[in-house]
Amino acid sequence: GMALPFEPDADTIEPYSCEKGVTPMIQIGFCDDNALELERIQRLLKDCHPFEEQYEISVFSNGQDLLRSPGRPFDLLFLDVQMPGMDGYETARQIRETDLHTVLVFLTGVAAPTVEVFQVTPFRYLMKQMDDATICRELSAIFAEVTRKTRFLNIRSGNDLLRLNVASILYLTIAGREVELITDQGRQLVRAKMAQLYSQLAPHGFGYAHKSYLVNFNRSLSGTGSSVIMDNDDILPISQPKAKSFKQEFIRFAGMKL
């Protein structure tokens, strides 16, 4: 398979070389042994015209083929739960060992999921009994999540332009005359003013917990007391002056995700 233009687990930061307006091809995988179901969900997906039509689909009829695929990691993966041999949950568990950013969607004909399923963090369950209109509504939420996870921003650092994957930034902190970004790939110093970074990141769900901390709400587990807990277990203070606005933004943002 072709190497993805931007592997989700590649470094967050790479020298800026991409022309403006070029969107990467979104890689979508389907894993289902039922041809009719596959046909239906692909038809509904195509009817939605997602990702400005910039996507590629790979189809697998069993978990083993998917796991061996050179196309991984996929940006979006539809997995049938009930497959002979390796079922969808076991396939997902093995996928998640390395492919942490893939948006996982389970297709199922049976009732509610069990607890262990949530360890692989599926984004949605699509029930095969759902009518087309319901599936289309679910798909639009799924596409929005994929867009959020694959969104890159161009950020100035002195005379350089950095290309950052927004979803992989946990928080930013002021470090002398620079700003330090704490990301999934480690720490990165940027020669920029926090206020300038805030204006770029605020629309993507970032807010001030403190005048020297800018936090990605998508990566915050809780933000209601006097501190905010990040999903890498870092705990950041929420200052008194920022507490009220931070709490309101945090709650509003959590509401938007539901």
Side-chain angles (χ1 to χ4, degrees):
M2 224 177 59
L4 295 193
F6 315 117
E7 306 249 357
D9 52 359
D11 292 344
T12 328
I13 289 134
E14 46 177 57
Y16 177 65
S17 60
C18 202
E19 296 150 45
K20 264 201 169 40
V22 175
T23 40
M25 275 290 199
I26 297 290
Q27 300 294 327
I28 303 175
F30 283 93
C31 190
D32 193 335
D33 61 316
N34 182 324
L36 277 173
E37 273 164 24
L38 269 173
E39 196 276 324
R40 178 188 179 213
I41 190 106
Q42 281 193 53
R43 172 174 53 81
L44 294 174
L45 181 142
K46 289 189 175 107
D47 289 349
C48 294
H49 305 286
F51 312 120
E52 298 166 10
E53 307 284 349
Q54 299 296 301
Y55 64 89
E56 289 173 349
I57 288 177
S58 309
V59 177
F60 307 92
S61 57
N62 62 71
Q64 287 88 343
D65 286 354
L66 166 63
L67 289 166
R68 279 196 295 265
S69 164
R72 290 176 52 195
F74 288 96
D75 297 308
L76 172 58
L77 198 48
F78 292 89
L79 270 175
D80 184 18
V81 172
Q82 297 86 24
M83 289 184 292
M86 189 189 290
D87 70 8
Y89 296 147
E90 177 54 28
T91 306
R93 200 186 57 71
Q94 292 195 35
I95 286 274
R96 272 288 183 253
E97 285 173 11
T98 51
D99 306 2
L100 302 178
H101 298 290
T102 299
V103 174
L104 268 184
V105 178
F106 282 125
L107 305 169
T108 179
V110 294
T114 53
V115 173
E116 59 262 27
V117 173
F118 288 99
Q119 291 167 352
V120 298
T121 55
F123 179 68
R124 280 285 192 279
Y125 264 81
L126 293 184
M127 308 295 285
K128 294 164 187 178
Q129 317 68 316
M130 287 174 174
D131 61 19
D132 285 5
T134 308
I135 287 190
C136 285
R137 272 202 307 280
E138 293 293 306
L139 283 175
S140 66
I142 290 163
F143 299 148
E145 177 69 357
V146 173
T147 300
R148 182 184 75 73
K149 285 201 152 175
T150 53
R151 188 176 288 138
F152 281 77
L153 269 190
N154 303 319
I155 287 179
R156 279 207 172 284
S157 173
N159 298 323
D160 301 325
L161 211 44
L162 300 176
R163 199 148 187 291
L164 297 176
N165 175 344
V166 179
S168 70
I169 304 170
L170 285 112
Y171 60 94
L172 300 84
T173 171
I174 289 176
R177 294 192 159 184
E178 300 180 303
V179 174
E180 187 171 31
L181 273 61
I182 287 70
T183 77
D184 290 329
Q185 286 73 27
R187 292 164 178 263
Q188 165 84 7
L189 278 172
V190 173
R191 293 188 304 284
K193 291 209 163 24
M194 187 68 111
Q196 169 200 339
L197 293 171
Y198 173 72
S199 64
Q200 271 192 282
L201 289 166
H204 301 283
F206 283 70
Y208 280 110
H210 185 287
K211 65 179 187 304
S212 42
Y213 287 106
L214 190 54
V215 168
N216 185 349
F217 293 129
N218 270 304
R219 305 297 302 270
S220 316
L221 300 176
S222 78
T224 42
S226 60
S227 56
V228 54
I229 302 169
M230 305 306 297
D231 67 16
N232 68 343
D233 296 332
D234 284 1
I235 297 173
L236 310 176
I238 298 175
S239 68
Q240 212 44 55
K242 299 281 185 199
K244 196 174 171 199
S245 63
F246 185 82
K247 205 170 293 187
Q248 285 169 343
E249 284 180 51
F250 187 90
I251 290 164
R252 199 193 73 222
F253 192 78
M256 276 164 46
K257 285 179 71 180
L258 296 177

